[in-house]
Amino acid sequence: MSQKNNKIQTLIEILFTSTKLGLTSFGGPVAHLAYFKDEYIDRRKWLNEKTYADLIALCQFLPGPASSQVGISIGILRGGILGGITSFLGFTLPSVIVLVIFALLYQNFTLADAGFIHSLKIVAAAVVLHALIGLGKKLTPDKSRMAIALAAALIMLLYPSAWIQIIIILAAGMVGLALFKNKAESKIEPFPVNISKKTGIISLTVLAISLISLPILAKAVNNPLLNIFDIFFRVGSLVFGGGHVVLPMIERELVPQGLLSPDEFLAGYGMAQAVPGPLFTFSSYLGTMMEGITGAVVATIAIFLPSFLLIIGALPFLSELRKRASFQGILMGVNASVVGILLAAFYDPVIESSIFDGSDFALGAILFALLTIWKVPAWLIVILGVVGGVILNLLGF
């Protein structure tokens, strides 16, 4: 009975923590990883930094929303598959609810240009820089890995695209295999995964069968909800590069077919930028616009389900692979490249969309100092950032 109570207590803890993150994690996937590090690793010590970095590396390899996959993975490691679902719900539902309401009140409800949105972008800049410094110290401790990170950042800044990001990660893995396999740690702290390899294989098989069968079934049945499920499941399975990359893919599936007008699509995109949590919840708005709340539920489940299937399929094998010297070398290279990719993202879009003048820089510097020196939690930084932005506006800055 006490074991059952412990499981329930763990799930409640996961739900509380992930919901707090879902309410305060503004700024996109790079910022989400920073908020996760602050809450899950620095404060709650659910994982060590090495395991967290390996999870990020794994999720960068997979299609779908990387930050959501990292959150799901942490939930699974903490509380099994049910913990992963709980973590996902807490992190995702706040923005889902806001976007559904926005869709229902589309004609009279607008928030994308509200003044406090800019303050939230400044908050994201401070949080990302704080996490970037922490990850950089851990993942690029020598000149070789610093060089990989700087090369990755330079390439991403010159050629920003999802495919270039994938090429960088793969190339860094090969460089890591050549340079770092002899630096592999003999004692790697294992992380408990309560998922068997058989379950992992079944999960990947379900994903593959669904990708093949859903388009055929949707065409044969011609049901609006099944059509929505097919579209969003396919997009969630095949898109690399995160939320911003998914937008043109969804647009091509919906607007030319007349399922949504260009104005309706862009209005939802603007609102999705203004809410915390994953940008993939844009699907909730789109589903509502097409088929009401039922459409929102179907679209949201469909676009995130591939992430669950991929994570459940990958995690049972990651713990075993981490023990191998060659795989550790690959991960060292990949983790260094991730630092570089985050560094590039810190400039564009984080800095470019948030720091416009001296007052923005001053507010960002204060928030960064509060995070770094006084260890103020990220959720409180969000509140302080909005309040600071309002004060600056009242003072005419």
Side-chain angles (χ1 to χ4, degrees):
M1 187 68 179
S2 64
Q3 188 176 4
K4 184 178 179 181
N5 288 338
N6 287 338
K7 287 182 179 179
I8 294 173
Q9 189 176 357
T10 299
L11 292 177
I12 291 172
E13 183 185 25
I14 293 171
L15 181 61
F16 171 79
T17 308
S18 60
T19 302
K20 182 171 73 171
L21 288 165
L23 290 167
T24 57
S25 294
F26 294 89
V30 179
H32 298 162
L33 296 176
Y35 285 104
F36 288 174
K37 180 181 180 298
D38 179 77
E39 186 65 35
Y40 290 133
I41 285 77
D42 296 341
R43 296 188 176 278
R44 295 187 177 268
K45 312 292 183 186
W46 286 3
L47 302 173
N48 59 41
E49 289 194 15
K50 169 66 177 169
T51 302
Y52 182 61
D54 289 350
L55 286 179
I56 293 175
L58 170 68
C59 295
Q60 294 284 355
F61 272 118
L62 301 176
S67 61
S68 296
Q69 290 169 334
V70 170
I72 292 168
S73 300
I74 292 172
I76 289 175
L77 297 182
R78 186 72 178 172
I81 292 178
L82 198 54
I85 295 171
T86 303
S87 176
F88 163 76
L89 290 175
F91 183 59
T92 308
L93 275 181
S95 58
V96 167
I97 292 168
V98 172
L99 288 167
V100 168
I101 292 172
F102 176 67
L104 295 173
L105 303 175
Y106 170 70
Q107 296 296 331
N108 302 308
F109 186 68
T110 180
L111 192 60
D113 297 324
F116 70 86
I117 299 303
H118 183 62
S119 299
L120 295 174
K121 292 179 180 179
I122 297 173
V123 169
V127 173
V128 169
L129 179 59
H130 176 66
L132 186 57
I133 292 171
L135 287 174
K137 288 179 180 178
K138 183 71 176 178
L139 303 181
T140 56
D142 51 51
K143 292 179 180 179
S144 298
R145 279 178 274 187
M146 284 182 187
I148 292 173
L150 289 173
L154 180 62
I155 295 169
M156 280 301 298
L157 288 170
L158 293 174
Y159 305 101
S161 86
W163 291 110
I164 291 295
Q165 177 176 316
I166 295 166
I167 292 169
I168 288 171
I169 290 171
L170 291 173
M174 295 303 99
V175 173
L177 177 61
L179 295 182
F180 306 129
K181 62 181 180 181
N182 294 328
K183 294 184 179 181
E185 298 177 40
S186 58
K187 293 183 179 179
I188 290 287
E189 183 180 332
F191 51 78
V193 181
N194 297 320
I195 302 171
S196 67
K197 292 179 181 177
K198 181 180 178 182
T199 301
I201 293 170
I202 291 171
S203 181
L204 295 175
T205 303
V206 169
L207 176 65
I209 292 172
S210 298
L211 276 172
I212 296 169
S213 62
L214 274 172
I216 300 170
L217 191 60
K219 193 170 184 179
V221 176
N222 195 27
N223 177 277
L225 291 176
L226 183 57
N227 189 40
I228 289 173
F229 193 92
D230 169 46
I231 290 170
F232 286 91
F233 187 89
R234 193 162 8 99
V235 169
S237 301
L238 301 177
V239 65
F240 286 88
H244 293 285
V245 181
V246 81
L247 297 171
M249 289 188 67
I250 294 180
E251 192 274 342
R252 286 194 297 269
E253 295 277 358
L254 301 181
V255 175
Q257 283 72 29
L259 296 173
L260 239 72
S261 73
D263 286 346
E264 289 170 338
F265 186 89
L266 289 173
Y269 174 57
M271 188 61 185
Q273 301 278 7
V275 298
L279 192 55
F280 269 52
T281 53
F282 182 38
S283 60
S284 307
Y285 165 86
L286 297 172
T288 306
M289 294 296 287
M290 289 186 286
E291 291 292 331
I293 293 177
T294 304
V297 173
V298 171
T300 306
I301 291 174
I303 203 166
F304 283 104
L305 181 57
S307 292
F308 274 96
L309 295 174
L310 285 164
I311 290 298
I312 291 170
L315 280 182
F317 299 96
L318 179 62
S319 188
E320 185 68 30
L321 285 170
R322 289 170 82 234
K323 299 174 185 176
R324 301 185 181 181
S326 58
F327 190 73
Q328 285 187 49
I330 291 171
L331 280 180
M332 286 181 193
V334 170
N335 286 336
S337 73
V338 168
V339 173
I341 291 168
L342 294 181
L343 178 60
F346 176 65
Y347 172 73
D348 181 16
V350 175
I351 289 294
E352 285 215 323
S353 66
S354 61
I355 307 299
F356 297 144
D357 53 34
S359 61
D360 291 344
F361 183 85
L363 178 58
I366 292 169
L367 296 175
F368 175 73
L370 290 172
L371 268 171
T372 308
I373 300 171
W374 286 279
K375 310 298 181 186
V376 175
W379 64 267
L380 184 54
I381 292 294
V382 171
I383 297 172
L384 294 174
V386 172
V387 172
V390 170
I391 292 172
L392 288 174
N393 284 331
L394 291 175
L395 294 175
F397 291 104

